[in-house]
């Protein structure tokens, strides 16, 4: 059985909205609600869902780049939400992020050498004399020439900048990386290169990766397991092959029906979701997906369905036993 590296328990993140004369909290954006799951060491888990479903907030909350409202994040046996100061700084060496925007995530005033060398300096992992060799090794690892280290971010393409961002994340030799839609801002011709790089590095370094994405085909190709999120809640979580072959949740079924099929001779029934995703300030009662679900019954409005195991390793949050 695989060793558990990360365990998330009942994680919630609310963003308060203030207003009125006294600037009081008048509402909350319920970005993440009751997220519970585990990640095993050395696996890639995909996190998919529509825009606004809370994927990036969940990833950032796990790393405490956004402070969660409540819940537990247990990493390597330690609840990191209780760590402060130097203890949390040491933990950050183990947990890194690759940001979505390769243009906004790199400081335009810093050279590539300074950008990649900064985590080495902050965490005191290399002396000034040792840094150039380590930076050159990291650049080669992500497919860039060490001769680029004196250049600035504006001298690189989007794909090259994302490679630099990956090198920066790997500089501290983490065991867990959140890849927050790392290819969505790139040209289609470059996306496959970055995905293959992430896959090669994951296998080479035995990284655990939470891969956040919109593209279901990329996730199917890359990920061992897939987690489906809707309006702040996890709807389904299963091994990739099983989820794509036989989804158990109506939302997953609808998402997969919209994914393009490379074979033009194959046809798939397109399931159209009516309306827009509801506001996270005022989500529907009961199951948050019920207002757009073609299988909804009156009971769906009465209770929030828990994420339950319906097959070994396959979880869904739906009161119905079958689609």
């Amino acid at each position: 059985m695989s060793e558990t590296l990360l365990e998330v328990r009942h994680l919630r993140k609310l963003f308060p909205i203030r207003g009125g004369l006294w600037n009081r909290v008048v509402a909350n954006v319920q970005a993440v609600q009751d997220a519970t799951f585990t990640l095993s060491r050395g696996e890639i888990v995909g996190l998919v869902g529509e825009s606004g479903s809370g994927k990036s907030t969940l990833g950032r909350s796990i790393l405490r780049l956004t402070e969660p409202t409540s819940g537990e994040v247990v990493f390597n046996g330690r609840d990191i939400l209780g760590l402060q100061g130097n203890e949390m700084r040491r933990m950050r060496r183990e947990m890194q992020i690759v940001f979505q925007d390769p243009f906004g995530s790199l400081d335009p005033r810093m050279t590539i050498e300074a950008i990649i060398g900064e985590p080495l300096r902050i965490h005191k992992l290399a002396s000034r004399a040792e840094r150039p060799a380590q930076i050159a090794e990291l650049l080669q690892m992500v497919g860039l020439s060490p001769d680029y280290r004196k250049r600035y971010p504006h001298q690189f393409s989007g794909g090259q900048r994302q490679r630099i961002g990956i090198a920066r994340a790997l500089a501290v030799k983490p065991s867990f990386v959140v890849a927050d839609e790392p290819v969505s801002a790139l040209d289609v011709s470059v996306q496959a290169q970055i995905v293959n790089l992430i896959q090669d590095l994951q296998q080479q370094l035995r990284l655990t990766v939470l891969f956040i994405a919109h593209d279901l085909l990329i996730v199917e190709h890359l990920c061992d397991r897939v987690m489906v999120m809707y309006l702040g809640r996890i709807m389904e979580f299963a091994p990739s092959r099983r989820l794509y072959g036989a989804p158990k949740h109506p939302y997953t079924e609808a998402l997969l029906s919209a994914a393009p099929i490379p074979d033009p001779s194959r046809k798939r029934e397109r399931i159209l979701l009516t309306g827009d995703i509801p506001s996270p300030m005022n989500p529907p009662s009961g199951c948050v997906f019920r207002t757009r679900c073609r299988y909804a019954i009156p009971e769906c409005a009465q209770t929030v369905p828990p994420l339950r195991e319906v097959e070994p390793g396959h979880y869904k949050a739906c009161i119905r036993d079958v689609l």
Side-chain angles (χ1 to χ4, degrees):
M1 187 173 180
S2 300
E3 178 188 356
T4 297
L5 177 69
L6 177 75
E7 186 173 0
V8 177
R9 304 171 185 159
H10 308 293
L11 194 69
R12 297 177 71 231
K13 177 58 185 176
L14 307 179
F15 290 101
I17 297 176
R18 298 181 179 274
L21 183 61
W22 305 108
N23 197 33
R24 293 174 176 168
V25 176
V26 295
N28 284 295
V29 175
Q30 302 180 34
V32 177
Q33 286 286 349
D34 199 31
T36 299
F37 59 91
T38 61
L39 302 187
S40 299
R41 189 180 295 276
E43 72 170 341
I44 303 183
V45 171
L47 179 58
V48 300
E50 292 172 277
S51 294
S53 59
K55 305 185 299 298
S56 293
T57 303
L58 176 58
R60 288 168 175 264
S61 296
I62 292 171
L63 301 180
R64 286 185 66 185
L65 296 179
T66 297
E67 284 292 337
T69 302
S70 62
E72 295 177 88
V73 178
V74 180
F75 183 83
N76 246 344
R78 299 188 69 186
D79 184 1
I80 70 168
L81 300 190
L83 301 182
Q84 301 294 333
N86 289 333
E87 281 190 313
M88 189 61 210
R89 176 176 290 187
R90 285 192 292 271
M91 184 62 73
R92 289 200 186 280
R93 286 180 52 184
E94 297 291 325
M95 312 170 73
Q96 289 292 305
I97 186 169
V98 176
F99 294 98
Q100 175 181 356
D101 184 6
F103 299 93
S105 61
L106 303 179
D107 191 330
R109 299 164 298 180
M110 296 173 68
T111 64
I112 302 312
E113 185 175 48
I115 288 171
I116 298 176
E118 187 174 35
L120 296 174
R121 177 182 58 81
I122 290 174
H123 291 283
K124 300 178 181 178
L125 298 177
S127 66
R128 180 173 294 183
E130 294 170 334
R131 279 178 219 154
Q134 292 196 23
I135 292 167
E137 182 182 351
L138 286 162
L139 286 171
Q140 289 179 321
M141 188 183 295
V142 297
L144 295 175
S145 170
D147 296 336
Y148 292 166
R149 64 184 186 276
K150 296 298 184 182
R151 298 184 183 181
Y152 289 85
H154 73 271
Q155 297 175 280
F156 295 91
S157 67
Q160 289 174 320
R161 292 189 200 193
Q162 197 59 287
R163 290 174 186 267
I164 294 165
I166 293 171
R168 177 178 59 186
L170 297 180
V172 293
K173 299 181 179 178
S175 54
F176 173 58
V177 173
V178 173
D180 187 6
E181 301 195 39
V183 298
S184 62
L186 304 177
D187 292 339
V188 174
S189 60
V190 180
Q191 289 182 2
Q193 299 173 20
I194 299 300
V195 169
N196 290 335
L197 174 64
I198 291 173
Q199 187 173 42
D200 291 343
L201 291 171
Q202 184 270 335
Q203 294 172 354
Q204 177 184 340
L205 304 174
R206 202 166 179 258
L207 295 170
T208 302
V209 179
L210 179 63
F211 187 86
I212 302 171
H214 281 102
D215 193 319
L216 295 171
L217 295 180
I218 289 177
V219 170
E220 182 181 19
H221 164 73
L222 182 66
C223 299
D224 303 305
R225 294 191 292 162
V226 180
M227 189 157 43
V228 181
M229 198 168 183
Y230 179 82
L231 205 63
R233 293 188 179 273
I234 297 172
M235 298 284 103
E236 189 166 1
F237 192 17
S240 178
R241 183 174 299 180
R242 195 181 304 167
L243 184 135
Y244 279 82
K248 300 297 183 184
H249 196 282
Y251 181 54
T252 309
E253 181 190 41
L255 284 181
L256 294 179
S257 78
I261 301 176
D263 185 354
S265 65
R266 291 177 58 195
K267 295 196 179 290
R268 175 187 285 164
E269 179 193 0
R270 179 73 168 90
I271 301 171
L272 296 176
L273 296 178
T274 58
D276 297 322
I277 186 170
S279 169
M281 289 175 55
N282 186 28
S285 63
C287 176
V288 291
F289 183 60
R290 66 176 177 83
T291 57
R292 304 172 75 193
C293 179
R294 63 176 180 167
Y295 304 107
I297 56 179
E299 287 80 359
C300 293
Q302 306 304 318
T303 183
V304 177
L307 191 67
R308 60 190 176 94
E309 192 171 27
V310 293
E311 290 180 358
H314 196 144
Y315 300 83
K316 74 169 183 178
C318 180
I319 63 173
R320 295 171 61 95
D321 292 327
V322 295
L323 287 179

